[in-house]
Amino acid sequence: MEKKLKHSILTSYLIGAPIGIIIVFATIFVPSFLFGEGLMIIVILGTYGISTIGLVVAFIISLWIGGKVAYKNIKNGKSLLLTSFKYSTLVNAIIWTTFCLIISITVKEEKILMMVPPIFAFVVCTVLTTFSIGLLISYVIKRIISKPTELKNSVANKVYK
């Protein structure tokens, strides 16, 4: 694998993973802090616990795929905003589809009703991450791609000296 592609995927992990994991935990625990009820955590985990585990696993995998797609888009001259939109849509589509698939397998009653929040979350998360985290990741990947390689620098330095 090309060095800049590896760095792009690593960038996706280093920026995306901590923020995403913090948001997952905040979604689970902040309502109980706001309303002062520990039952809220039990309700959220009891309703979406297994699906949340699937979401986190899918998230880790989707960051790799998203980093690779962002790298290819930027390398092909696509704009940062378009790259960010594709990155965010892809990552969110993978995680929320996994979330919904797990719901459809594990829930016996009211599957459609249980899928309304994740579908809403997909739309909201895609829009928000396109203009924030996705854009930051795309920008950093663009900087990685535009940075001359060390070999080129050393050859250029020898020629000009």
Side-chain angles (χ1 to χ4, degrees), residues 14-144:
L14 291 176
I15 296 172
I19 294 170
I21 300 298
I22 288 169
I23 290 172
V24 168
F25 281 106
T27 302
I28 293 169
F29 293 108
V30 166
S32 68
F33 293 137
L34 292 177
F35 301 114
E37 296 226 6
L39 284 175
M40 196 69 109
I41 295 172
I42 295 169
V43 170
I44 292 170
L45 291 177
T47 307
Y48 293 113
I50 296 169
S51 300
T52 303
I53 293 168
L55 179 137
V56 171
V57 171
F59 180 61
I60 300 303
I61 295 167
S62 69
L63 288 175
W64 182 82
I65 297 167
K68 195 171 180 179
V69 167
Y71 172 82
K72 288 181 180 179
N73 273 283
I74 291 172
K75 195 164 184 177
N76 290 333
K78 305 288 185 202
S79 72
L80 280 179
L81 195 56
L82 179 62
T83 301
S84 176
F85 177 72
K86 286 182 179 181
Y87 177 88
S88 299
T89 303
L90 178 68
V91 169
N92 282 295
I94 291 170
I95 65 174
W96 293 113
T97 300
T98 303
F99 194 87
C100 287
L101 284 173
I102 294 172
I103 288 173
S104 70
I105 293 168
T106 59
V107 174
K108 293 184 175 44
E109 297 175 7
E110 300 181 14
K111 290 181 186 184
I112 302 299
L113 185 61
M114 295 282 289
M115 289 190 198
V116 171
I119 292 169
F120 178 73
F122 166 73
V123 174
V124 170
C125 291
T126 300
V127 171
L128 290 177
T129 57
T130 295
F131 296 104
S132 59
I133 303 161
L135 196 56
L136 175 63
I137 291 169
S138 299
Y139 173 76
V140 173
I141 291 173
K142 184 174 184 173
R143 296 286 309 255
I144 289 168

